[in-house]
Amino acid sequence: MEGVAALNLSRIADSLQMTHGNIYRHFPSKGALAAEVAAQWMVQMRTACEKAVARKRTVRSRLLALVLTIREQLMLRADDDDALSVYEFVLKHKPAEALAHHGHRQQLVATIMHQAGWPRTDHTAAQADAILDGLRFFTDPYAISLNAGIDLSARLESLVELLSDYIERKT
């Protein structure tokens, strides 16, 4: 894995058959390019998650769709050796964007909870965060890469069932 540190804008310009100046006109640094790549990935993931959750009707199916879509989106980049490096770059250099991305997931879970009858309160938002924490094993890029090839579907189904029961009982 070469990562963002080894990113070479000249090599990128050559592969795109562009001048180096043209690349620098759009991206003044390799950090700016990495940030834009990460921003595009986050937009793609947010859109995919919103669509997946919107198509489902039950609390259980919405939660499961959210987790599976996050995993699917992360797996799309699993073949890219430098994807984790871009993820690390964003966490280190663009923490506000990383927090906004997490906030989007939190809003999706809170919306699932609201649709099940939970009020729009700080407590509900905190519970949505707790639910996301519980699902992190299945949605964290590092955990996914460590568990590649292991069938975790039964564990995921059990956890989503427990969480959806919790959401539905609190209403």
Side-chain angles (χ1 to χ4, degrees):
M1 180 182 330
E2 291 181 37
V4 174
L7 185 64
N8 183 313
L9 292 182
S10 296
R11 193 174 69 205
I12 292 171
D14 290 343
S15 70
L16 295 172
Q17 299 178 350
M18 299 175 76
T19 65
H20 302 120
N22 199 15
I23 290 287
Y24 282 104
R25 189 173 311 125
H26 297 286
F27 302 102
S29 68
K30 60 185 170 184
L33 176 60
E36 181 60 26
V37 168
Q40 292 302 315
W41 287 354
M42 287 187 269
V43 166
Q44 290 168 0
M45 181 174 284
R46 289 174 186 165
T47 302
C49 289
E50 289 169 3
K51 287 180 181 178
V53 169
R55 287 192 291 256
K56 303 299 180 183
R57 296 291 161 237
T58 67
V59 169
R60 184 185 172 287
S61 64
R62 286 181 177 138
L63 281 178
L64 188 58
L66 177 62
V67 174
L68 292 176
T69 302
I70 292 168
R71 290 178 62 82
E72 176 185 290
Q73 289 293 308
L74 292 172
M75 294 306 291
L76 288 173
R77 290 154 186 88
D79 293 336
D80 181 352
D81 291 338
D82 295 325
L84 276 180
S85 180
V86 171
Y87 175 75
E88 290 168 356
F89 174 86
V90 170
L91 290 177
K92 184 175 181 181
H93 299 286
K94 301 286 187 178
E97 286 86 344
L99 284 174
H101 189 61
H102 174 78
H104 180 261
R105 291 180 185 183
Q106 187 265 358
Q107 287 175 339
L108 287 173
V109 173
T111 298
I112 293 168
M113 295 169 75
H114 299 317
Q115 291 167 342
W118 285 62
R120 294 184 188 276
T121 64
D122 289 343
H123 175 72
T124 300
Q127 293 300 302
D129 276 335
I131 289 168
L132 283 173
D133 286 345
L135 294 169
R136 192 168 318 274
F137 178 79
F138 298 99
T139 60
D140 179 76
Y142 295 110
I144 290 172
S145 65
L146 289 173
N147 295 304
I150 300 172
D151 184 9
L152 299 171
S153 56
R155 290 176 68 186
L156 176 58
E157 291 275 344
S158 294
L159 181 57
V160 167
E161 190 67 37
L162 285 170
L163 293 171
S164 59
D165 285 350
Y166 171 73
I167 291 170
E168 290 170 341
R169 261 197 311 258
K170 286 291 276 193
T171 59

